[in-house]
Amino acid sequence: AMEDKRNIPIIEWEHLDKRKFYVFGICMTMMIRVSVYPFTLIRTRLQVQKGKSLYKGTFDAFVKILQTEGPAGLYRGFLVNTFTLISGQCYVTTYELTRKYVARYNNNNAVKSLVAGGSASLVAQSITVPIDVVSQHLMMQRKGESMGRFKVQNQDAKRLLVFGQTKDIIVQIFKADGLRGFYRGYVASLLTYIPNSAVWWPFYHFYAEQLSSLTPKDCPHLLLQAISGPLAAATASTLTNPMDVIRARVQVEGKSSIILTFKQLMAEEGPWGLTKGLSARIISATPSTIVIVVGYETLKKLSLRPELVDSRHW
């Protein structure tokens, strides 16, 4: 068979040294988190604000938050948000295990990616949503006021407890809505992230193939992946942003109906309301996607079980 030399080797789960994979994975994710978190916070505030009442856009929000709240203002809710690392690990594990399971019945890569991507999101969201709800309420705390339903008490008292504010928010959510409060926007989250991850994989493979046919043979394959990843992320973000805006509002404003939230947004801000926070979302998705794609592939190579390293020419 005249196979293209650049046929992308797909490293499967059983080839990896799991311990290395998780340790590298967590360090890598933390580095990304720290660099993109401010944009996650900005995206949430932009999506929740009425019209352009507080911030004109991503850059404006960045500057204003720095001026009024200092660098710490850009990292509100960051510590709590780190707990979503667990869900990231569960995502990857579910993704890989589902692929393996689906392979018994169907070996088509697109089918494997779709089913695995969907299942992985389902598992990850079940862990992420409660953490998201809490961290988004923390993101809403501005100096002396809140953009959301809950306001953190005694902000000026020197907080010895790092998680003082978090505890405060958790108590308030529980008082207002009971346990259900932590799963606010669960459906909206599934409707945002399952399509997002389902759409991401096929687009990623599509862009990679297109680029690979356009570029010279010796063009490093990692470079193609580093370009296709963000392209796929931007495509997926754009397609799922309307749902993401609704998700943020449902979670922060404590609404329960997706449809009512959608109608209200359309009434107040028209169709453009659905693009709120999109550029901040793409900005926060891009570095992480590049790192995830390049990192995930490199990570897999670094984590290959030693006996496999020589046997394959990666």
Side-chain angles (χ1 to χ4, degrees):
M2 290 277 296
E3 283 245 281
D4 178 359
K5 285 201 302 296
R6 253 196 338 202
N7 213 340
I8 302 186
I10 294 177
I11 302 179
E12 297 291 358
W13 189 237
E14 50 272 17
H15 306 148
L16 300 180
D17 170 341
K18 308 293 182 291
R19 204 174 59 222
K20 267 190 200 168
F21 183 73
Y22 283 123
V23 172
F24 283 140
I26 287 177
C27 299
M28 204 170 78
T29 318
M30 271 323 279
M31 278 157 50
I32 306 171
R33 285 294 171 90
V34 172
S35 59
V36 304
Y37 190 82
F39 293 100
T40 309
L41 179 132
I42 288 170
R43 157 190 135 198
T44 309
R45 288 195 181 183
L46 291 175
Q47 287 174 337
V48 170
Q49 72 173 355
K50 295 273 173 267
K52 292 192 172 2
S53 53
L54 288 166
Y55 311 113
K56 292 200 261 308
T58 305
F59 184 69
D60 184 49
F62 188 79
V63 174
K64 280 185 180 155
I65 295 170
L66 264 183
Q67 283 170 348
T68 56
E69 309 172 43
L74 291 166
Y75 282 93
R76 284 177 191 272
F78 180 72
L79 280 173
V80 185
N81 198 270
T82 355
F83 286 109
T84 55
L85 278 175
I86 310 161
S87 73
Q89 298 305 312
C90 296
Y91 178 92
V92 173
T93 310
T94 311
Y95 181 78
E96 296 289 355
L97 294 177
T98 314
R99 271 185 79 89
K100 209 166 117 178
Y101 179 76
V102 174
R104 290 191 215 160
Y105 303 97
N106 188 327
N107 227 340
N108 177 336
N109 195 34
V111 175
K112 284 199 291 194
S113 299
L114 251 163
V115 179
S119 319
S121 284
L122 216 121
V123 171
Q125 285 312 307
S126 306
I127 301 167
T128 307
V129 170
I131 301 169
D132 256 355
V133 169
V134 175
S135 72
Q136 286 180 161
H137 279 297
L138 288 165
M139 291 177 192
M140 290 299 113
Q141 308 301 319
R142 293 166 65 232
K143 226 190 176 72
E145 54 178 322
S146 165
M147 298 168 63
R149 297 163 72 197
F150 304 115
K151 185 175 186 301
V152 171
Q153 310 308 311
N154 60 9
Q155 283 196 308
D156 309 320
K158 276 278 164 273
R159 292 193 311 275
L160 291 171
L161 283 171
V162 174
F163 284 115
Q165 290 201 346
T166 308
K167 209 180 75 199
D168 201 4
I169 290 282
I170 291 177
V171 170
Q172 290 184 54
I173 295 175
F174 190 71
K175 269 195 191 137
D177 296 336
L179 277 175
R180 277 191 45 210
F182 297 98
Y183 274 92
R184 270 215 189 274
Y186 181 63
V187 176
S189 284
L190 291 178
L191 291 176
T192 306
Y193 293 115
I194 290 185
N196 199 51
S197 103
V199 165
W200 190 91
W201 292 99
F203 270 111
Y204 167 60
H205 292 302
F206 167 76
Y207 289 127
E209 280 161 23
Q210 296 305 312
L211 283 167
S212 145
S213 61
L214 294 171
T215 48
K217 274 276 178 283
D218 51 4
C219 174
H221 160 137
L222 212 54
L223 182 68
L224 300 183
Q225 289 174 318
I227 300 168
S228 349
L231 281 176
T235 311
S237 296
T238 308
L239 292 172
T240 56
N241 201 67
M243 202 61 226
D244 195 45
V245 177
I246 288 161
R247 174 195 66 81
R249 293 195 160 202
V250 166
Q251 289 178 333
V252 170
E253 294 169 1
K255 299 203 169 62
S256 46
S257 160
I258 293 177
I259 299 180
L260 286 177
T261 308
F262 175 71
K263 285 184 174 158
Q264 188 192 347
L265 180 71
M266 291 300 271
E268 289 172 5
E269 316 195 15
W272 282 109
L274 296 171
T275 62
K276 297 186 92 165
L278 180 59
S279 53
R281 194 170 166 211
I282 291 176
I283 292 172
S284 67
T286 303
S288 44
T289 316
I290 295 179
V291 177
I292 286 165
V293 171
V294 176
Y296 194 55
E297 294 303 317
T298 313
L299 186 65
K300 279 173 148 186
K301 283 169 207 173
L302 289 173
S303 314
L304 267 175
R305 296 211 309 270
E307 66 272 21
L308 289 170
V309 175
D310 317 317
S311 66
R312 300 172 173 233
H313 340 288
W314 294 105

